[in-house]
Amino acid sequence: MTKGLWAPPPEFDEYRLVRPLSGGAMSLVYLAQDTLLERPVAVKFLDEDDREPDAIARERFLVEARAIARLQHPNVVAVYRVGNVEGRSFLVSEYVRGRTLDRIERPVAPERLFEIALGLARGLAAAHRHGVLHRDIKPGNAILAEDGQVKLLDFGIAKLLDAPAGEDLGEASPVPQPTVRLSPGEVEQLSDSGKVLDLAHARGPRPGAMTAVAQAAALTQAQELGILRTEGLEAQTIPLRASPRTLSLTRKGMILGTPLYMAPEVWRGEQATYRADVYALGALVYALATGQPPHVASNIKELRRTVLDNDARPLTSVSPGAEPRLAAIVDRCLRRDPAQRFASAEELRAALEELIPETGPIIAIPEGNPYRGLSAFQAEHRGLFFGRGSEVRSVIERLRAEPLVVVVGDSGVGKSSLCRAGVLPRVREGELGPTRRWATAELVPGRWPLAALVAAIAPHVGLDEEVLASELVVDPGHVARILRRRQAEGVGLVVFVDQLEELVTLSTHDEATRFSQVLLRLASGTPGLRVLATARGDFLTRLSALAGLGDELIRACTVLRPLTETGIREAIVGPARTKGVSFESDALVARLVDATARTDGGLPLLQFALAELWEARDRAGRSIPLAALEAIGGVEGALARHADGVLRTLPPAERAAARRVLLGLVTAEGTRARRGAGE
């Protein structure tokens, strides 16, 4: 039964069809009403032949469903359900009111262009973080919603890079693609007819035959290639998108995608990577900025040769009004050599976010020493926290889409400061999105992590701590259900767990297990609930052994690397600059940068040395001299010299007591041991 003879039932399950939206190579899409939740949805039906059921086509459909279901992100269309009706698979997704980007006016204004580029990069970055290649990015596969949000659509030829062994669907043996031949007259005739039919059945009763459906299918492909208005078009062979009964799933050496937006290596039949998606996104933005893709040609053969042999013209040379920094990013996306592009959409997103001007409330600068010594930066020190701008934006971006994010790194790399002074203030200011007001609940596990969690969350659920604690003992999921019920429309909560490693260094195994169960319930994907945590990288193995935490923990990790030399320099000069104080010379700053970069645990030592230097500054000249660095023993020696000096001032008995106290504040594993004042 062909698509033209089959129509889905007007009502099935909880869905009532309203009207058709579109038809693609392997699917029909309808607008429908979800009668249970009372919301409009899009229902996509797989085009299957009842007489010739095709398990491979259904598997491709499920690949798309799994790919999109991984991506809960504001810039990716959300998937709600997959099912089957009358032997046909269907996928229910978010219905977005708006226009696909192939239907908006071009060229797009520079400010709007940047917003679209950033939104698409964020959505694609979420896909890449989950191991999903899109492989068909083009204007028709992105929609500009009525609220101004842009969303990626149609992961129909997506590939899961991290699929389990035996589940990778991209390595089958190659087979020839079906083709039809169009003469100039046929192209003109079909163009005048305006027919656009499905590609899935574009095959004749005998090899080389060209049915009306095949002709219309070829027209559809020709339209995508932009060749219908070309004068003197010679007869040519146009590859068709594969029929589910003609080709298996994605095959090695098989070209998939839309030609005008395909990367050179894909044209060569090479394995697609994240960099191919980056190229396609760059080509899309280029087309929006200039009115046409980076490469155009009169036929498919010439297009292939042009893409492989020529660099795209720089964006500013085609669109002089383009913002130069955005143009440079787009040009890098379109490099013929994949190694010269951004490695993934995550890198592209970070580069685009660097162009966002800093706005927001005026940040108060605290009184006193602007350096934190051995203490972490807190929210009130936000105006003094420098060097981690890109990392803060990266964590914020992950929190927009992911229920659990764990910042992992070495001891002393600045995980707590990043979250407390960088991320959480921005969360409270609304940077997770305009649809909710976000609050934060903060805790450190210590010996009794459940009690710490109860104390942090109780104010947000309106319950007494003792009542909440007793209910958690019986049911670890209770607090998550309470929070779900109490997250009124437009309200969200981020639970921040600092130093997650204390679950295995300080608390008992039973206590840590119960806490991890509650944590997983909080991070179960409920809208309006997020969990942010920090953990030392050398404790990941032990943390992942806690019941249920393993796989979720690994998927949630984002690694915080040591500061770059540029970041170290910002952390040195930025706080002093906010107070109107400078360093005596650039040579002094370079010496501080070098000492920090080559010293293990250099960041805490640097902060301590800077705090000491601040106290020794030239107050009259409002500068920090090189002589002060010499006096404190340099970055490496400042802390040891200070500690020895303090101990020397104590009488022998007090000195011995101080040593016992200090040893009691460190565990046998070299981590912090939390003690009460009584202890």
Side-chain angles (χ1 to χ4, degrees):
M1 181 182 297
T2 66
K3 179 185 297 182
L5 300 178
W6 183 83
E11 295 187 20
F12 62 96
D13 297 344
E14 66 268 34
Y15 303 108
R16 183 177 68 252
L17 299 188
V18 178
R19 59 181 171 86
L21 292 174
S22 65
M26 295 171 59
S27 63
L28 289 166
V29 183
Y30 278 77
L31 172 64
Q33 181 71 13
D34 183 331
T35 58
L36 286 181
L37 299 178
E38 297 184 347
R39 63 182 176 184
V41 295
V43 182
K44 182 174 185 176
F45 296 95
L46 175 63
D47 179 29
E48 298 169 308
D49 193 320
D50 294 332
R51 296 166 301 172
E52 191 180 0
D54 196 325
I56 294 176
R58 282 193 292 273
E59 183 61 22
R60 165 53 55 196
F61 191 76
L62 291 175
V63 166
E64 175 180 4
R66 287 196 293 267
I68 311 176
R70 291 182 176 202
L71 311 177
Q72 300 300 314
H73 192 279
N75 298 113
V76 177
V77 67
V79 165
Y80 300 140
R81 181 183 167 190
V82 173
N84 190 278
V85 60
E86 295 187 0
R88 301 197 180 224
S89 302
F90 68 84
L91 179 151
V92 182
S93 64
E94 170 188 13
Y95 172 62
V96 182
R97 291 182 175 88
R99 292 181 296 165
T100 51
L101 297 186
D102 58 347
R103 296 178 180 274
I104 67 174
E105 186 176 348
R106 306 184 197 178
V108 175
E111 183 176 334
R112 193 74 185 102
L113 180 70
F114 175 75
E115 293 173 354
I116 292 173
L118 179 59
L120 293 177
R122 285 173 169 171
L124 187 59
H128 288 180
R129 282 198 302 272
H130 287 79
V132 177
L133 281 178
H134 189 287
R135 300 201 296 183
D136 196 20
I137 294 172
K138 60 182 179 181
N141 279 345
I143 189 167
L144 188 59
E146 290 178 351
D147 64 2
Q149 190 84 273
V150 65
K151 291 177 181 280
L152 276 175
L153 305 169
D154 200 349
F155 283 70
I157 60 173
K159 179 174 180 178
L160 309 184
L161 291 190
D162 60 347
E167 200 174 306
D168 186 345
L169 306 173
E171 297 300 328
S173 58
V175 296
Q177 294 193 57
T179 61
V180 296
R181 295 184 65 80
L182 285 179
S183 69
E186 288 169 329
V187 169
E188 184 177 355
Q189 181 181 6
L190 288 171
S191 178
D192 291 340
S193 73
K195 293 180 181 178
V196 179
L197 298 180
D198 182 34
L199 303 182
H201 301 280
R203 61 194 194 284
R206 64 183 187 279
M210 187 170 175
T211 66
V213 175
Q215 289 178 333
L219 167 64
T220 303
Q221 185 74 359
Q223 286 175 322
E224 288 186 344
L225 293 173
I227 60 176
L228 291 183
R229 289 182 298 276
T230 302
E231 297 293 333
L233 181 66
E234 297 179 359
Q236 59 188 282
T237 297
I238 300 179
L240 295 182
R241 189 171 295 171
S243 160
R245 281 162 295 283
T246 307
L247 297 177
S248 180
L249 302 176
T250 311
R251 298 182 181 276
K252 192 172 184 178
M254 175 179 163
I255 295 176
L256 286 177
T258 300
L260 289 171
Y261 301 91
M262 287 190 335
E265 64 271 21
V266 179
W267 278 104
R268 292 191 293 266
E270 298 173 8
Q271 190 76 16
T273 67
Y274 296 140
R275 296 175 193 266
D277 272 356
V278 167
Y279 180 97
L281 184 53
L284 187 160
V285 176
Y286 191 104
L288 295 180
T290 66
Q292 63 180 22
H295 297 288
V296 292
S298 60
N299 58 64
I300 192 77
K301 185 175 181 180
E302 182 182 333
L303 179 62
R304 181 182 189 276
R305 184 171 59 249
T306 299
V307 172
L308 294 180
D309 295 346
N310 300 281
D311 292 317
R313 292 177 60 191
L315 179 55
T316 52
S317 71
V318 183
S319 177
E323 204 282 327
R325 295 174 300 166
L326 174 61
I329 290 173
V330 173
D331 290 344
R332 181 177 170 186
C333 292
L334 295 174
R335 297 276 189 264
R336 277 187 292 166
D337 180 0
Q340 295 181 13
R341 301 177 207 143
F342 297 99
S344 71
E346 185 71 6
E347 284 192 10
L348 172 58
R349 175 203 59 76
L352 289 169
E353 289 188 340
E354 291 286 345
L355 306 187
I356 300 175
E358 287 290 340
T359 59
I362 298 174
I363 301 172
I365 305 300
E367 296 293 329
N369 196 319
Y371 298 101
R372 293 292 293 149
L374 298 181
S375 300
F377 285 82
Q378 303 295 329
E380 61 266 29
H381 307 116
R382 177 184 175 188
L384 302 171
F385 184 63
F386 289 86
R388 290 291 195 187
S390 62
E391 291 89 344
V392 168
R393 288 189 290 271
S394 180
V395 174
I396 289 285
E397 169 59 21
R398 292 194 65 162
L399 281 173
R400 287 191 181 105
E402 300 174 29
L404 174 64
V405 178
V406 182
V407 179
V408 175
D410 295 336
S411 176
V413 79
K415 303 180 293 295
S416 297
S417 295
L418 176 84
C419 294
R420 292 183 181 276
V423 175
L424 296 181
R426 292 172 180 252
V427 166
R428 290 187 287 267
E429 289 168 6
E431 289 203 20
L432 290 189
T435 59
R436 293 184 187 273
R437 302 187 314 277
W438 290 87
T440 61
E442 305 175 26
L443 66 133
V444 179
R447 284 198 226 174
W448 310 107
L450 278 176
L453 179 64
V454 166
I457 289 179
H460 299 278
V461 297
L463 288 180
D464 179 79
E465 289 185 25
E466 290 187 8
V467 174
L468 185 58
S470 62
E471 292 180 350
L472 276 182
V473 172
V474 178
D475 181 6
H478 183 63
V479 68
R481 288 196 296 275
I482 293 175
L483 284 169
R484 278 196 288 269
R485 288 198 301 269
R486 291 179 177 266
Q487 292 311 302
E489 188 68 28
V491 176
L493 178 67
V494 174
V495 179
F496 173 53
V497 185
D498 199 8
Q499 301 178 56
L500 197 63
E501 67 272 6
E502 291 188 357
L503 293 180
V504 294
T505 62
L506 294 180
S507 65
T508 66
H509 178 74
D510 288 345
E511 179 86 3
T513 299
R514 286 197 297 271
F515 179 86
S516 67
Q517 290 171 344
V518 176
L519 196 70
L520 287 174
R521 299 295 181 89
L522 292 174
S524 61
T526 302
L529 259 182
R530 299 286 189 274
V531 175
L532 173 65
T534 68
R536 269 179 47 171
D538 48 345
F539 287 95
L540 272 185
T541 302
R542 291 172 60 185
L543 284 170
S544 63
L546 292 173
L549 199 56
D551 291 342
E552 295 300 323
L553 181 66
I554 298 305
R555 276 194 288 267
C557 283
T558 179
V559 177
L560 184 63
R561 295 177 175 83
L563 273 174
T564 63
E565 290 192 3
T566 300
I568 295 172
R569 180 176 288 271
E570 289 180 15
I572 292 169
V573 303
R577 187 173 60 236
T578 64
K579 299 278 189 174
V581 174
S582 62
F583 286 80
E584 182 181 78
S585 66
D586 191 64
L588 170 57
V589 175
R591 183 169 166 179
L592 290 166
V593 171
D594 180 65
T596 305
R598 57 183 169 81
T599 304
D600 289 339
L603 202 54
L605 294 179
L606 172 67
Q607 279 293 322
F608 184 85
L610 289 170
E612 294 288 293
L613 287 175
W614 178 260
E615 299 301 332
R617 70 190 182 281
D618 177 357
R619 285 171 167 77
R622 303 189 66 78
S623 68
I624 297 174
L626 176 61
L629 181 62
E630 302 287 355
I632 66 171
V635 170
E636 303 93 328
L639 181 57
R641 179 174 293 196
H642 172 78
D644 290 341
V646 170
L647 290 175
R648 278 196 301 271
T649 64
L650 300 176
E654 292 182 9
R655 193 179 308 165
R659 291 185 185 277
R660 289 196 300 273
V661 170
L662 291 172
L663 289 173
L665 294 174
V666 180
T667 70
E669 297 166 305
T671 61
R672 181 179 301 174
R674 299 187 181 278
R675 307 290 183 184
E679 295 175 286

